[in-house]
Amino acid sequence: MKIPPVKGTRDFYPQEMAVRNFIMEGWKAASIRNGFEEYDGPIFEHLKMYQIKSGQEIVEQLFHLTDRGGRELAIRPEITPTLARMVNQQINALPRPIKWFSIPRLCRAERPQKGRLREFFQWNVDIIDVDDPRADAEVIFTSIDFLRSTGLTTADIQAKISSRRLLAALLRSIGIDENKLESLYALLDKKAKLPCEAFEEMLAKEIPVKDQAERIRDLMEVTTIEDIPRIVHMNEAATAALDELKNVFSLLDLMGISDYCHFDMGIVRGLAYYTGMVFEVHATSGKLRAICGGGRFDNLLKDFGGPSIAATGMGMGDCVLEILLREKGLLTDSLATRMLDYYICCLDDELMSRAIVLTATLRQRGYVVDCVYKISSLGKQLKLASSTNARQSIILGQELIRDNQLVLKDMQSGNQRSIQYDHFLSDLSS
Ligand code: HAM
């Protein structure tokens, strides 16, 4: 019986694994460059972890299970709640500020589509206990720093930035009820993905007062920060939030990435826990979903029973990123799955045990080595050597029996030379 893979999952054959490693190594390098330390948590948590503050969308996409003890668990759809739990758990022992990164495997029961799967990897960087726009700017910088390192430019990607704090203050000044804010965020977050009429209909349902709905629509059409005070009455809270957002933009300018960064009132984010700056990076072509998204979540640690500590961060999935890198020709299919220093060819059954000894000796000295399993023609064995991307082949044949010599073949130039077995070993650098 043949069992197919589960819908929305991927198998990573060595070639796909090489791409995954390429992306992850880039993520790790960018994290380390920007001063983050790595952490991880379990792949499942108590179901209620995600029901506290992630929002309805995530709850609907949970893979959940009941263990034998009747505990309700869920496979992690994101790592931010785990981060909050872990930090709270050791809040007095951990040196702060905390700058942590992680690359968890996540599962969401979404309808699989281009760039969205049911299982994916997501790079997270988070800064905890820095109640300053510098941390927000640094999170955006780290994301762009990585994306730039792959070869993507301002022609390919843009960071769209806004503020939940500003939006909340503006909605309050329009007269929107406090308990409406969360569902309104979820709707406004979907605006760009919905047909106009569908959005209008849903907005009318959410905000039945026509004048308020009208003003929300006007607000969402604002294209520059400067226009905001012209459209809405700026109370004290809105002015403070606007100044804070302007500060983030000034810092991004100082960091030299302002060309990548744009204000966009339409960025609201789907998750419920954001409280301040919010951002997403999108491909400029606009056809793909967000490459990454994040923002400030100052209440999450408190919501998880900890102290009130500021936090900001982002998550970047591997799916949209890979599609974009391919589209832009920045990912070649020829990423090596392995690269050997030596491939050992053996032309005589009698020499196989010497081939095994030589392989073990070279491996012990730190070289990346493989050896043929079966005697075949030299041509066949050299083909195998090429397929392993070996830099050199070592050929054990008649010369070894006769004169204790092996043949060393440079796989790129094709040049070969004979060398005394003992000299070869003593010439090696280690
Ligand atoms: P999110 O917007 O749900 O945020 O996900 C962030 C990124 O993860 C998305 O932009 C996308 O690249 C990727 N992603 C999400 N769902 C899928 C999927 N089904 N398939 C493939 N990729 C996906 C969060 O998860 C927040 N916890 C990020 C964060 C960290 N905020 C603060 N710190």
Side-chain angles (χ1 to χ4, degrees):
M1 186 175 58
K2 270 194 184 157
I3 300 172
V6 177
K7 194 168 81 165
T9 64
R10 286 170 291 178
D11 295 325
F12 292 89
Y13 289 86
Q15 201 55 63
E16 287 86 34
M17 198 66 206
V19 172
R20 180 171 132 192
N21 283 337
F22 169 80
I23 289 174
M24 289 193 178
E25 277 155 24
W27 283 345
K28 278 194 178 186
S31 305
I32 291 163
R33 222 171 22 243
N34 286 274
F36 291 84
E37 292 178 285
E38 192 165 10
Y39 75 101
D40 200 358
I43 63 158
F44 46 79
E45 292 271 8
H46 290 287
L47 173 68
K48 57 176 177 290
M49 283 265 291
Y50 307 107
Q51 292 169 327
I52 294 178
K53 211 56 211 176
S54 292
Q56 197 49 33
E57 196 172 278
I58 283 271
V59 171
E60 281 162 13
Q61 294 169 350
L62 285 175
F63 280 103
H64 50 89
L65 55 137
T66 311
D67 76 1
R68 285 197 217 157
R71 281 172 284 266
E72 299 251 56
L73 307 175
I75 301 177
R76 59 188 181 188
E78 56 163 341
I79 202 170
T80 315
T82 303
L83 170 74
R85 180 178 63 65
M86 285 171 60
V87 170
N88 277 344
Q89 232 161 249
Q90 299 204 0
I91 194 69
N92 295 321
L94 293 167
R96 288 185 264 156
I98 291 166
K99 287 181 74 174
W100 282 2
F101 82 96
S102 192
I103 306 179
R105 186 193 282 261
L106 305 179
C107 290
R108 294 185 190 181
E110 291 203 45
R111 190 172 56 79
Q113 52 189 297
K114 195 174 178 191
R116 279 290 185 278
L117 295 174
R118 294 191 151 181
E119 187 196 44
F120 59 100
F121 293 90
Q122 190 197 60
W123 175 41
N124 281 252
V125 297
D126 291 278
I127 303 179
I128 293 173
D129 203 16
V130 181
D131 187 13
D132 186 303
R134 273 240 351 241
D136 299 303
E138 213 173 13
V139 166
I140 299 171
F141 179 85
T142 306
S143 321
I144 297 295
D145 181 31
F146 161 73
L147 292 167
R148 243 185 350 191
S149 75
T150 64
L152 292 168
T153 67
T154 51
D156 309 313
I157 50 163
Q158 52 181 351
K160 300 178 177 185
I161 305 163
S162 187
S163 160
R164 271 264 180 106
R165 187 176 160 209
L166 175 64
L167 181 61
L170 296 175
L171 291 175
R172 282 186 197 116
S173 90
I174 289 173
I176 304 300
D177 220 49
E178 201 61 32
N179 58 19
K180 281 260 162 144
L181 288 181
E182 198 167 308
S183 52
L184 197 52
Y185 292 151
L187 174 61
L188 297 179
D189 176 63
K190 288 200 196 86
K191 184 174 183 288
K193 294 163 218 151
L194 286 171
C196 226
E197 307 78 59
F199 173 74
E200 292 295 324
E201 220 172 273
M202 288 163 89
L203 182 63
K205 218 190 253 170
E206 196 69 42
I207 308 292
V209 183
K210 265 205 167 131
D211 173 57
Q212 286 182 339
E214 186 81 27
R215 291 174 69 189
I216 291 174
R217 215 175 300 120
D218 290 348
L219 180 61
M220 295 315 285
E221 248 129 63
V222 164
T223 52
T224 68
I225 292 193
E226 290 69 34
D227 280 343
I228 294 173
R230 284 184 220 131
I231 304 269
V232 204
H233 166 69
M234 297 295 288
N235 55 23
E236 208 177 303
T239 307
L242 188 62
D243 287 348
E244 185 182 77
L245 186 60
K246 283 182 180 165
N247 204 347
V248 173
F249 276 98
S250 310
L251 288 160
L252 293 168
D253 194 24
L254 280 181
M255 292 174 179
I257 57 162
S258 56
D259 286 356
Y260 284 91
C261 300
H262 307 270
F263 168 71
D264 190 326
M265 198 69 209
I267 298 302
V268 183
R269 307 280 298 131
L271 293 159
Y273 48 67
Y274 293 108
T275 54
M277 180 284 292
V278 277
F279 84 105
E280 288 178 1
V281 177
H282 286 255
T284 46
S285 67
K287 280 181 281 176
L288 296 168
R289 298 186 58 167
I291 302 166
C292 73
R296 183 160 278 280
F297 50 103
D298 285 346
N299 296 335
L300 196 64
L301 272 78
K302 194 171 66 187
D303 290 335
F304 276 84
S308 179
I309 291 183
T312 182
M314 74 94 205
M316 180 185 297
D318 61 333
C319 304
V320 171
L321 175 67
E322 184 178 335
I323 295 170
L324 182 65
L325 292 178
R326 274 193 203 287
E327 269 181 21
K328 300 289 173 186
L330 297 169
L331 253 193
T332 53
D333 269 329
S334 61
L335 277 172
T337 54
R338 59 182 160 167
M339 220 178 275
L340 299 187
D341 294 317
Y342 296 108
Y343 189 86
I344 299 181
C345 304
C346 182
L347 301 179
D348 199 311
D349 271 326
E350 226 182 281
L351 295 171
M352 200 45 116
S353 49
R354 298 207 50 192
I356 293 167
V357 170
L358 181 59
T359 305
T361 308
L362 291 173
R363 284 175 179 166
Q364 204 186 352
R365 293 200 188 184
Y367 292 96
V368 185
V369 186
D370 210 356
C371 176
V372 72
Y373 288 101
K374 251 185 13 210
I375 306 293
S376 61
S377 71
L378 180 59
K380 261 195 185 157
Q381 292 192 38
L382 287 175
K383 233 183 184 168
L384 283 174
S386 297
S387 73
T388 64
N389 291 312
R391 282 193 299 116
Q392 302 199 65
S393 287
I394 297 173
I395 304 161
L396 306 185
Q398 280 309 308
E399 292 99 320
L400 194 62
I401 300 171
R402 230 180 23 237
D403 310 316
N404 201 31
Q405 282 193 345
L406 49 79
V407 176
L408 211 51
K409 185 178 178 76
D410 185 287
M411 296 302 289
Q412 192 151 36
S413 65
N415 295 340
Q416 61 180 60
R417 67 191 167 99
S418 298
I419 179 168
Q420 279 290 318
Y421 186 92
D422 304 327
H423 287 174
F424 168 70
L425 285 183
S426 57
D427 283 356
L428 292 173
S429 50
S430 56

